[in-house]
């Protein structure tokens, strides 16, 4: 006697597989979104700290016989040449974009004295993510940057 059994999947097996995939995707998408926004915050903090170090290095080297500074505003970090952001030589601006999901508070402009590289002002810049996660970037009187 021959059994005529066909190989394949039943409709119930296919629907259960699709339901399991949908459930897993529903749990992973929010986790991925949170990971992406945290990554944006970390990138902004590292980019800002690197730009501050670059401004300090250019000031110490007296590049262009000038002091250099950094101005952080919504969506951008600007390295500038001059004694202040308002009095800068905009031809030398180096602008880097950061996430628009971040909000800023604290000191947003730092200028370093030429030759010594000592910051003319100190303080803390706070980058805040929509989910209230923060990164603080602090510059002390000796020019040490911590974040």
């Amino acid at each position: 006697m021959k059994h005529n059994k066909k190989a394949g999947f039943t409709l119930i097996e296919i629907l259960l597989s699709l339901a399991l995939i949908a459930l897993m995707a529903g749990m992973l998408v929010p986790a991925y979104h949170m990971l992406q926004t945290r990554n944006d915050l970390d990138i902004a903090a590292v980019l800002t700290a690197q730009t501050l170090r670059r401004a300090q290095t250019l000031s110490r080297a007296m590049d262009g016989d000038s002091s250099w500074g950094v101005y952080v505003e919504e969506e951008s970090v600007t390295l500038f040449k001059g004694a202040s952001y308002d009095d800068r030589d905009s031809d030398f601006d180096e602008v880097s974009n950061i996430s628009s999901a971040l909000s800023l508070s604290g000191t947003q402009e730092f200028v370093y004295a030429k030759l010594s590289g000592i910051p003319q002002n100190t303080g803390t810049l706070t980058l805040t993510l929509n989910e209230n996660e923060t990164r603080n970037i602090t510059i002390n009187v000796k020019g040490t940057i911590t974040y």
Side-chain angles (χ1 to χ4, degrees), residues 16-30:
L16 284 174
S17 298
L18 289 175
L20 183 61
I21 291 170
L23 180 66
M24 289 172 52
M27 291 187 314
L28 293 177
V29 167

Side-chain angles (χ1 to χ4, degrees), residues 4 42 45 73 84 98 104 136:
N4 220 2
D42 290 337
E73 58 189 332
S84 72
I98 56 175
L104 309 170
N136 294 318

